[in-house]
Amino acid sequence: MIKTLNIEIWDRSFSLNVEYDCYAGEEITPKQIEAVERLSKNLHWISDAKKDVVKYCKPKVDKDSENQKKDNIFSYVKPEALFVKRDDKKSRIALMCKYRYDSEHGLAVVFDANGNVTVGTQDIIL
């Protein structure tokens, strides 16, 4: 079981905790382990997802007159952890981020087993 993953996200290095969606007393499922291993072998998914994150955030970033670094994704998104959903039917893992424009709900970049990406508030995976 992987507890921490050292990865490069949009040209910066991060050491992210891997959090598994489990209740007390539950074991991590093989699907969850598989999801982390798959992402670690396909790190280009994260690089490729940058355009989707920028597209999702762009309307709020453009309206923010105080953000002088609009072209720097890290001026509004900060990767915090990887969250592995417990679901035997759909293998999904999310890059959970702090999000300047929604501090309550944050931002999730969710990858399915095929590398398809969905960007939204963390509620889409929790």
Side-chain angles (χ1 to χ4, degrees):
M1 167 183 67
I2 298 173
K3 293 184 179 185
T4 307
L5 196 60
N6 295 315
I7 57 176
E8 188 172 291
I9 301 171
W10 310 317
D11 300 322
R12 284 199 186 164
S13 295
F14 289 87
S15 179
L16 299 178
N17 289 331
V18 180
E19 300 172 2
Y20 297 88
D21 181 22
C22 294
Y23 290 111
E26 284 185 328
E27 297 290 322
I28 295 167
T29 68
K31 285 271 189 201
Q32 288 175 299
I33 293 169
E34 214 175 273
V36 176
E37 290 173 349
R38 189 177 312 106
L39 180 68
S40 66
K41 290 177 183 171
N42 293 286
L43 293 175
H44 67 276
W45 290 353
I46 294 174
S47 297
D48 296 346
K50 182 179 179 182
K51 67 183 179 317
D52 297 301
V53 174
V54 170
K55 181 179 177 182
Y56 177 87
C57 298
K58 189 167 179 40
K60 289 188 179 179
V61 173
D62 286 346
K63 287 181 185 175
D64 183 2
S65 61
E66 293 180 17
N67 186 347
Q68 301 302 312
K69 298 179 181 179
K70 294 179 190 298
D71 292 335
N72 179 356
I73 193 167
F74 298 109
S75 72
Y76 51 92
V77 174
K78 181 181 181 230
E80 291 282 299
L82 292 169
F83 178 77
V84 189
K85 185 71 175 170
R86 183 183 190 89
D87 186 340
D88 289 334
K89 295 179 183 173
K90 281 199 250 181
S91 176
R92 294 180 294 159
I93 185 168
L95 174 62
M96 305 296 266
C97 304
K98 286 188 176 181
Y99 180 41
R100 178 178 181 159
Y101 303 107
D102 191 346
S103 57
E104 183 179 339
H105 298 105
L107 184 82
V109 184
V110 182
F111 302 92
D112 71 11
N114 298 316
N116 298 317
V117 66
T118 306
V119 179
T121 65
Q122 292 178 359
D123 297 339
I124 65 173
I125 189 77
L126 298 174

